[in-house]
């Protein structure tokens, strides 16, 4: 009897082990619950990579922490910059031993970043441009009792100017701390000076001026569809500013990005903007003006292919009539139905209130 029970228990144990082994095989390494899941599925997924990817992340976090520490203690730091024909010589020190140690540590890792072309602070134009030319920069560092001395040089005259501008910017970090670190620092010198930014009117000629920014993020996307919900009013004798904003939308897609992008734009006028679409006679009688100052811009929008709808409910509610609306606009049953229908047709909703 005892042997029978022992044998039965042994067989049951084998079955449990077999089932557990099968489940583990199906689940795979790093997919179980607990710490193993985060390591196997997350960090290790980034390439050859747990050591490489995680190491890069740790380096970024370390440098970020060092930078914040130095900014927090910027008033304890003093800095001297000497311009050289081929670069700069800087001395950065502190009477606080902990701050002095952090200065040395920060410079050590920044030197390594330059030598290995591992950029940091790439949203800042000056730092991005400097790291583009990191191969042409030579850094020599010397620890001092209270900080570090750095000689930074280049054989490229353009890179020399970048080095000198960077040294000036770091001095501003030391002087001002976080307020300076929150700024972008444009490149004040280049091999070819960029043309100054100028306003232009690529499609709507009199309204909605824009500047062209071919290198900016979030470029206009071709075949975009935009539904503008325009409810804001303005002085009766002046162009409604929100209507001119729609002209700017047209010009943005036509010529503010790297390339022109086709866009369908529909405007729904209601609320305080409803009567902006009255013809000259009806508008002049209503507001005691010579004419409707909104019609020139609205007509340019129409000529550019913008669909213009007027809320019929708002129009009648404000004492207007459908036959008083200018000929190139359409009276809709309501703003509600227009906005719902347009969004159902794939238009992105943009309110101007």
């Amino acid at each position: 009897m005892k042997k029978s029970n022992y044998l039965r228990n042994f067989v049951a144990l084998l079955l449990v082990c077999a089932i557990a082994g099968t489940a583990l095989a199906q689940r795979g390494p790093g997919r179980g619950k607990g710490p193993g899941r985060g390591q196997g599925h997350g960090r290790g997924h980034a390439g050859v990579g747990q050591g490489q990817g995680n190491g890069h992340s740790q380096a970024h976090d370390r440098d970020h922490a060092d930078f914040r520490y130095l900014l927090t203690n910027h008033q304890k730091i003093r800095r001297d910059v000497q311009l050289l024909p081929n670069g700069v010589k800087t001395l950065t020190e502190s009477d606080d031993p902990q701050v002095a140690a952090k200065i040395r540590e920060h410079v050590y890792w920044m030197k390594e970043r330059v030598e290995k072309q591992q950029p940091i602070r790439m949203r800042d134009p000056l730092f991005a441009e400097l790291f583009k030319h990191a191969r042409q920069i030579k850094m020599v560092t010397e620890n001092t009792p209270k900080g570090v001395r750095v000689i930074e040089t280049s054989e490229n005259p353009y890179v020399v100017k970048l080095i000198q501008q960077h040294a000036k910017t770091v001095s501003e970090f030391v002087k001002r701390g976080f307020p300076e670190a929150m700024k972008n620092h444009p490149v004040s010198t280049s091999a070819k000076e960029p043309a100054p930014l100028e306003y232009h009117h690529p499609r709507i000629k009199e309204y909605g001026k824009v500047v062209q920014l071919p290198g900016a993020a979030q470029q206009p996307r071709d075949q975009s569809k935009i539904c503008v919900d325009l409810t804001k009013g303005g002085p009766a004798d002046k162009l409604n500013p929100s209507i001119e904003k729609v002209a700017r939308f047209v010009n943005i897609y036509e010529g503010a990005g790297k390339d022109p992008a086709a866009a369908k734009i529909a405007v729904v006028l209601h609320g305080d903007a409803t009567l902006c679409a009255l013809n000259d006679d009806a508008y002049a009688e209503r507001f005691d003006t010579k004419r409707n100052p909104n019609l020139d811009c609205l007509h340019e929008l129409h000529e550019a292919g913008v669909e213009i709808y007027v809320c019929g409910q708002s129009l009648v509610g404000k004492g207007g009539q459908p036959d008083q609306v200018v000929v190139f606009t359409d009276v809709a049953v309501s703003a509600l139905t227009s906005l719902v229908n347009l969004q159902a047709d794939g238009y992105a909703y943009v309110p101007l209130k």
Side-chain angles (χ1 to χ4, degrees), residues 136-201:
Q136 301 179 61
I137 298 173
K138 180 181 179 181
M139 289 182 67
V140 177
T141 64
E142 176 190 357
N143 287 345
T144 69
K146 295 185 177 182
V148 64
R149 180 179 289 107
V150 179
I151 299 176
E152 195 171 357
T153 58
S154 176
E155 296 179 1
N156 183 330
Y158 171 60
V159 180
V160 170
K161 292 181 179 179
L162 289 175
I163 290 170
Q164 292 174 345
Q165 188 179 350
H166 170 259
K168 181 180 178 181
T169 299
V170 173
S171 294
E172 288 298 307
F173 289 161
V174 170
K175 179 181 178 181
R176 302 185 63 229
F178 284 102
E180 188 67 27
M182 296 298 106
K183 293 168 54 179
N184 281 318
H185 298 86
V187 180
S188 63
T189 180
S190 64
K192 181 179 180 182
E193 292 294 337
L197 294 175
E198 295 181 354
Y199 285 106
H200 68 136
H201 299 80

Side-chain angles (χ1 to χ4, degrees), residues 1-9:
M1 187 69 176
K2 288 184 180 180
K3 287 185 178 181
S4 176
N5 288 339
Y6 175 80
L7 181 60
R8 187 162 51 248
N9 290 339

Side-chain angles (χ1 to χ4, degrees), residues 73-313:
N73 293 276
H74 73 99
Q75 293 179 328
K76 299 179 180 180
I77 302 172
R78 59 181 176 273
R79 179 171 164 85
D80 177 73
V81 177
Q82 179 184 347
L83 298 183
L84 305 175
N86 60 344
V88 294
K89 179 191 290 187
T90 64
L91 177 64
T92 310
E93 294 184 317
S94 175
D95 293 328
D96 184 320
Q98 289 184 334
V99 176
K102 190 62 71 174
I103 291 170
R104 297 188 200 101
E105 181 182 347
H106 177 70
V107 170
Y108 175 87
W109 291 117
M110 289 304 103
K111 181 175 184 290
E112 183 172 274
R113 280 189 174 276
V114 169
E115 291 174 347
K116 294 183 178 180
Q117 291 89 52
Q118 295 177 344
I120 195 170
R121 198 179 166 87
M122 290 299 286
R123 287 182 179 271
D124 191 317
L126 175 59
F127 285 75
E129 185 69 10
L130 189 71
F131 273 102
K132 282 182 184 178
H133 301 83
R135 292 180 183 274
Q136 301 179 61
I137 298 173
K138 180 181 179 181
M139 289 182 67
V140 177
T141 64
E142 176 190 357
N143 287 345
T144 69
K146 295 185 177 182
V148 64
R149 180 179 289 107
V150 179
I151 299 176
E152 195 171 357
T153 58
S154 176
E155 296 179 1
N156 183 330
Y158 171 60
V159 180
V160 170
K161 292 181 179 179
L162 289 175
I163 290 170
Q164 292 174 345
Q165 188 179 350
H166 170 259
K168 181 180 178 181
T169 299
V170 173
S171 294
E172 288 298 307
F173 289 161
V174 170
K175 179 181 178 181
R176 302 185 63 229
F178 284 102
E180 188 67 27
M182 296 298 106
K183 293 168 54 179
N184 281 318
H185 298 86
V187 180
S188 63
T189 180
S190 64
K192 181 179 180 182
E193 292 294 337
L197 294 175
E198 295 181 354
Y199 285 106
H200 68 136
H201 299 80
R203 183 65 185 271
I204 307 295
K205 298 303 180 186
E206 301 296 329
Y207 308 99
K209 63 184 179 181
V210 295
V211 294
Q212 189 171 19
L213 300 171
Q218 293 292 352
Q219 290 285 316
R221 187 173 297 174
D222 204 37
Q223 304 304 319
S224 294
K225 300 168 77 174
I226 304 168
C227 166
V228 181
D229 181 9
L230 203 162
T231 63
K232 189 174 181 180
D237 60 343
K238 295 180 181 179
L239 170 65
N240 186 322
S242 292
I243 291 176
E244 184 168 13
K245 282 186 180 179
V246 181
R248 183 169 292 112
F249 295 169
V250 174
N251 284 333
I252 283 172
Y253 276 82
E254 188 67 28
K258 182 179 180 181
D259 299 302
K264 292 183 177 180
I265 300 178
V267 181
V268 181
L269 300 173
H270 63 116
D272 292 339
T274 304
L275 300 182
C276 290
L278 292 179
N279 63 47
D280 274 330
D281 293 342
Y283 192 94
E285 182 179 354
R286 177 67 177 264
F287 295 106
D288 193 23
T289 60
K290 292 182 178 179
R291 59 185 302 274
N292 184 345
N294 301 290
L295 293 190
D296 288 342
C297 188
L298 286 173
H299 187 257
E300 289 234 25
L301 291 173
H302 167 71
E303 290 293 316
V306 176
E307 301 173 24
I308 304 170
Y309 298 100
V310 180
C311 173
Q313 306 304 310

